[in-house]
């Protein structure tokens, strides 16, 4: 069945870079949209970036726009998150989500319930 597996997290100094990967596998239809969310201790899981396969549209949270880049390889059912100029505020567990539904941009960015599956998460820690 479908699985999402994240990788690429680690410990990095402020100003450094990391590249996260999320691979989707299983005998299911390809997701319509895949996204990155993150969750810091004591905080709600928040949207980071998303990519829509059909139109190739990408979306970013204001806090990461210009520093992070989401991309995907549809043939591999894999998405990536290139994170540059990392800040201590970026420290969190980063999760990959996928949805097979068709929703509005507002729903995809603000409603976590629209995503059908989640990965196990990968820890990103940025030191000062």
């Amino acid at each position: 069945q479908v699985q999402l597996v994240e990788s690429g997290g680690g410990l990095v100094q402020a100003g450094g870079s990391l590249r996260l990967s999320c691979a989707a596998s299983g005998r299911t239809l390809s997701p319509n949209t895949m996204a990155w969310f993150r969750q810091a201790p004591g905080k709600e899981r928040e949207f980071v970036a998303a990519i829509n396969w059909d139109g190739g549209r990408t979306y970013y949270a204001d806090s990461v726009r210009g520093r992070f880049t989401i991309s995907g390889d549809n043939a591999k059912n894999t998405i990536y998150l290139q994170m540059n100029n990392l800040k201590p505020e970026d420290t969190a567990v980063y999760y990959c989500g996928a949805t097979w539904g068709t929703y509005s941009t507002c729903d995809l960015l603000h409603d976590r319930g629209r995503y059908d599956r989640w990965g196990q998460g990968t820890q990103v820690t940025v030191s000062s």
Side-chain angles (χ1 to χ4, degrees):
Q1 58 181 340
V2 64
Q3 294 180 334
L4 301 177
V5 180
E6 303 101 332
S7 62
L11 175 64
V12 65
Q13 189 176 8
S17 299
L18 286 172
R19 183 177 177 85
L20 307 184
S21 299
C22 174
S25 63
R27 296 192 176 182
T28 64
L29 295 174
S30 298
N32 291 332
T33 302
M34 295 181 69
W36 291 99
F37 286 72
R38 66 186 182 186
Q39 186 168 21
K43 298 182 66 177
E44 297 289 333
R45 189 172 298 187
E46 66 176 352
F47 171 79
V48 177
I51 183 168
N52 177 270
W53 294 122
D54 289 339
R57 300 186 303 275
T58 58
Y59 308 90
Y60 296 94
D62 290 341
S63 59
V64 306
R65 186 175 291 108
R67 298 188 298 121
F68 293 8
T69 302
I70 188 170
S71 61
D73 185 335
N74 200 12
K76 297 181 179 180
N77 283 329
T78 300
I79 62 168
Y80 308 92
L81 186 68
Q82 179 65 47
M83 305 185 294
N84 297 325
N85 192 24
L86 283 162
K87 305 176 184 296
E89 304 89 85
D90 297 317
T91 296
V93 177
Y94 284 70
Y95 296 91
C96 175
T99 178
W100 284 259
T102 301
Y103 305 106
S104 69
T105 299
C106 181
D107 285 341
L108 291 172
L109 271 57
H110 298 101
D111 189 352
R112 299 188 304 276
R114 298 301 188 185
Y115 291 86
D116 300 302
R117 294 295 177 91
W118 297 95
Q120 82 288 351
T122 185
Q123 176 70 234
V124 172
T125 302
V126 184
S127 62
S128 60

